[in-house]
Amino acid sequence: MSRRDTAQSICASVLADRYLAPGESDRRDVFRRVALALAAVEPEPLRNRVAARFYRNMLRGAIGAGRIMANAGTTQPGTMVNCFVQPLCPPQRRVALADDIERALSDARATLSMGGGVGYDFSAIAPALGESGSSSGGVCPVVDRFDEACRRLTFAGARHGAQMAVLRCDHPDLVAFVRAKRGRTRWPTFNVSVAVTDAFMSAVADDAPWTLAHHAKPTRPRAASSRRADGAYVYTQIGARMLWRDIVECARESAEPGLLFIDTINAANVLAPIETIDATNPCGEQPLPAWGSCVLGPIDLSRLVHHPFGADGEPCFDYARLASLVRTQVRLLDNVITATRWPLAAQAREALSKRRIGVGVTGLADALAMMRLPYDAPPARALAARIAACIRDHAYAASSEIAAERGPYPLFDAAYHLAPGSFGSRLPEPVRVAIARHGLRNSHLLSFAPTGSVSLALADNCSNGIEPAYDWVYGRAVRLGGREARVYRVENHAHRLYHAIYGAQAPLPGYFRRAREIGALEHVSMLAALQPFVDAAISKTVTIDSGAYDAQVDTLLFAAWKARLKGITVFRPDPKLEAVLTPRCPTC
């Protein structure tokens, strides 16, 4: 029996609800539709050949993210782009006025209604005690308005709006912002992150005072000395560790806020000379400038292990096939930028000038188990890093080949990509030579995102993104067709395959590792192993023990900063809170 010959009930249901267009009956129909739609932007003599290439690539495990698979080739008024960041005011103005907020709300509705997830930096909002022509009353009431606007939208199918709220670590409303999602009931359409600077982290380490400041003038008169060199007005000083304790306590209690290490993000950005990044998309894997966006497409790594678990031979990973999948995936995602509908003209202008794409992965943990490697063992991290390096090298090689054919992205400058110490400087020499000669079609090429729905619908519930499996057999609550959520039995793909090979009663070897069985620092170590090979960022939740103390979370967050990660989110299982995933399920 092929591992995908008999689809799990939940996989078939999610496929039908979220991805099948009228007249389609299985995933091959989805692949044909998507392949034909994205090959249509090719010169006419190439279209059939390229469509066949795209179709074959999807059959082998290189798929588009959800918006691509749902909307390509349909008449639905949706976008194929998952990730956006939108500003709250023009860049030349450091304080958002009331009219700016209204325009930003209108822009948010336009993007969300077409299926895009949006991130915002709310740092331009005047603090609750400020006066700047805005009647916002501070950051939190403005986030309330964006959350309400999203909840009032009508969405087709099961996908609802997703947003990210980011606030800088020196904003005077930081404490209220950090505490807002305690209990996980406020802002249900939002994830929340604090953009922390190296200076803030050092102040926490040194137990130093921290200045909260904003470009909106405080209500109460201040001395001239209370104005900073950058023109911001000082509101108050507070112990950095007092702020940090709030962040740590709320992260441990409610899994929010996450941290964005914003200085690391900007220092690593190849386009830092021409853009500033202040926020990310809702899941954090794509740092983006104002109006930035990114199209995503994961590759199922579990499809690339020969002799899984040692059946009929020593397991080995097929790097040659991975390279081929990556090269075709780059072309497919580049075509999405040309073919998609854009919610806003500003997004189209930004995307067409830089052509960001995000080749990603799913099924990493399953692939490691098939290679007989425990997820938290050093050899597993070494293999994961080698896989990521292969993806990086061939993605950049493919982008340069497409640039030779179609031209580089309009703002390309070889100095950005090949400067000493840059991301591109670590590429193999032949790739660097090709970039110097032909340029790059895309400014950024890699983004390791969550892949929940597409992994479920199109990849037999392989492990999500780079995450370890939640469990082997469990219940998953899914809302289909606008109906009440139903709990389905779901089985991890690697677990299913193992028992298909060795029998239903075969005990699992020790290299099968669930998320809760992996130490928090080992989760961080996997992120640290992969991040050097990813030019955007990585979405991953670091699972901590349900009894973890604040001090342990403190240590974990500092370890992530010192490892030069771009961000981190922690999750502490809490049985008192409703969960989408549960060990209790029908007939488990």
Side-chain angles (χ1 to χ4, degrees):
M1 179 190 74
S2 166
R3 52 183 166 167
R4 290 178 175 83
D5 281 347
T6 55
Q8 300 183 60
S9 172
I10 187 174
C11 299
S13 296
V14 172
L15 175 66
D17 186 64
R18 302 187 185 181
Y19 300 112
L20 294 184
E24 295 176 346
S25 60
D26 60 26
R27 64 191 185 96
R28 290 175 180 262
D29 292 333
V30 177
F31 295 164
R32 289 188 189 94
R33 165 174 52 81
V34 174
L36 288 168
L38 297 181
V41 305
E42 302 277 345
E44 198 279 331
L46 298 177
R47 288 175 190 169
N48 289 340
R49 189 169 69 207
V50 173
R53 180 180 167 191
F54 289 168
Y55 177 70
R56 184 171 59 251
N57 224 45
M58 286 184 270
L59 285 176
R60 292 177 174 178
I63 53 182
R67 298 307 84 211
I68 296 173
M69 307 310 288
N71 292 333
T74 73
T75 58
Q76 295 294 324
T79 182
M80 290 184 251
V81 183
N82 277 60
C83 304
F84 296 89
V85 162
Q86 296 178 191
L88 269 61
C89 64
Q92 64 271 21
R93 189 184 305 139
R94 297 188 177 187
V95 180
L97 306 180
D99 287 348
D100 295 322
I101 295 169
E102 293 303 323
R103 280 192 293 270
L105 279 164
S106 177
D107 291 339
R109 293 185 191 100
T111 302
L112 291 164
S113 65
M114 288 184 66
V118 189
Y120 322 84
D121 174 24
F122 283 91
S123 303
I125 300 299
L129 298 178
E131 57 180 13
S132 64
S134 168
S135 58
S136 69
V139 167
C140 292
V142 177
V143 181
D144 285 335
R145 295 184 65 192
F146 278 76
D147 180 65
E148 182 183 13
C150 183
R151 285 187 284 114
R152 288 191 172 193
L153 290 172
T154 300
F155 295 93
R159 182 177 174 87
H160 291 179
Q163 303 184 92
M164 169 69 86
V166 178
L167 195 69
R168 281 184 58 88
C169 58
D170 58 356
H171 194 285
D173 286 355
L174 182 64
V175 172
F177 178 81
V178 165
R179 294 176 178 176
K181 290 200 72 174
R182 265 190 161 154
R184 307 182 190 180
T185 57
R186 195 176 184 184
W187 303 342
T189 70
F190 271 97
N191 291 326
V192 170
S193 288
V194 176
V196 295
T197 60
D198 291 342
F200 175 73
M201 297 299 291
S202 296
V204 174
D206 296 339
D207 196 14
W210 184 248
T211 299
L212 299 179
H214 197 266
H215 284 82
K217 188 177 181 179
T219 302
R220 293 183 295 275
R222 298 276 177 157
S225 60
S226 67
R227 193 106 181 243
R228 295 196 315 197
D230 64 359
Y233 294 91
V234 173
Y235 276 64
T236 190
Q237 277 199 332
I238 189 172
R241 284 193 185 170
M242 290 180 63
L243 289 172
W244 182 249
R245 277 197 295 271
D246 269 313
I247 292 171
V248 168
E249 288 173 7
C250 291
R252 186 195 68 83
E253 179 182 323
S254 304
E256 297 198 69
L259 297 185
L260 299 179
F261 300 114
I262 203 69
D263 288 340
T264 300
I265 286 171
N266 279 292
N269 181 20
V270 71
L271 293 185
I274 61 172
E275 67 180 24
T276 300
I277 290 174
D278 297 309
T280 73
N281 72 312
C283 291
E285 77 277 358
Q286 194 63 53
L288 293 165
W291 303 117
S293 61
C294 188
V295 293
L296 306 174
I299 294 172
D300 180 0
L301 301 177
S302 74
R303 302 287 297 275
L304 299 174
V305 178
H306 298 294
H307 311 298
F309 315 112
D312 302 320
E314 190 68 19
C316 61
F317 191 85
D318 193 337
Y319 291 98
R321 175 165 285 192
L322 176 61
S324 174
L325 293 174
V326 168
R327 286 172 177 263
T328 298
Q329 190 79 326
V330 169
R331 191 177 194 94
L332 180 142
L333 295 179
D334 186 66
N335 283 10
V336 170
I337 296 172
T338 303
T340 192
R341 303 175 184 93
W342 293 98
L344 300 166
Q347 297 161 348
R349 287 193 296 270
E350 171 70 17
L352 292 170
S353 70
K354 299 169 185 172
R355 306 191 72 88
R356 269 180 167 91
I357 64 172
V359 178
V361 300
T362 193
L364 172 64
D366 282 7
L368 295 175
M370 293 175 193
M371 292 289 291
R372 300 187 299 199
L373 296 174
Y375 186 95
D376 50 351
R381 293 193 289 273
L383 178 65
R386 185 179 173 192
I387 290 169
C390 178
I391 295 171
R392 176 200 65 183
D393 296 349
H394 288 280
Y396 271 80
S399 186
S400 186
E401 289 173 3
I402 299 172
E405 175 188 341
R406 300 176 175 175
Y409 69 90
L411 297 181
F412 172 78
D413 186 330
Y416 301 156
H417 291 277
L418 300 176
S422 68
F423 187 87
S425 69
R426 301 191 295 273
L427 293 166
E429 183 178 3
V431 180
R432 286 185 277 117
V433 169
I435 292 170
R437 180 176 300 132
H438 303 299
L440 285 168
R441 180 66 171 171
N442 317 93
S443 67
H444 298 70
L445 285 132
L446 303 118
S447 181
F448 287 6
T451 59
S453 291
V454 290
S455 292
L456 193 57
L458 302 171
D460 191 44
N461 192 45
C462 68
S463 55
N464 172 11
I466 72 160
E467 302 284 3
Y470 167 75
D471 210 333
W472 309 127
V473 182
Y474 54 97
R476 179 164 180 161
V478 179
R479 191 184 305 275
L480 301 175
R483 299 185 295 273
E484 287 297 313
R486 170 187 164 188
V487 177
Y488 284 80
R489 179 188 187 277
V490 61
E491 184 176 2
N492 165 260
H493 170 65
H495 179 269
R496 203 159 105 96
L497 177 61
Y498 184 84
H499 285 303
I501 293 171
Y502 293 108
Q505 303 306 315
L508 290 183
Y511 52 74
F512 272 86
R513 305 283 284 162
R514 294 172 291 189
R516 63 179 178 270
E517 297 168 337
I518 295 168
L521 288 174
E522 301 301 328
H523 284 278
V524 170
S525 294
M526 179 60 81
L527 275 166
L530 294 171
Q531 186 60 76
F533 304 100
V534 180
D535 54 12
I538 302 170
S539 176
K540 178 167 182 11
T541 297
V542 175
T543 304
I544 59 177
D545 186 78
S546 59
Y549 297 107
D550 288 348
Q552 293 169 295
V553 177
D554 181 310
T555 298
L556 182 66
L557 298 181
F558 260 96
W561 174 57
K562 291 175 181 176
R564 308 311 292 169
L565 300 185
K566 294 183 179 180
I568 183 171
T569 302
V570 301
F571 174 71
R572 180 179 62 90
D574 185 347
K576 294 180 295 184
L577 298 171
E578 181 182 359
V580 172
L581 307 179
T582 173
R584 298 181 298 278
C585 68
T587 66
C588 282

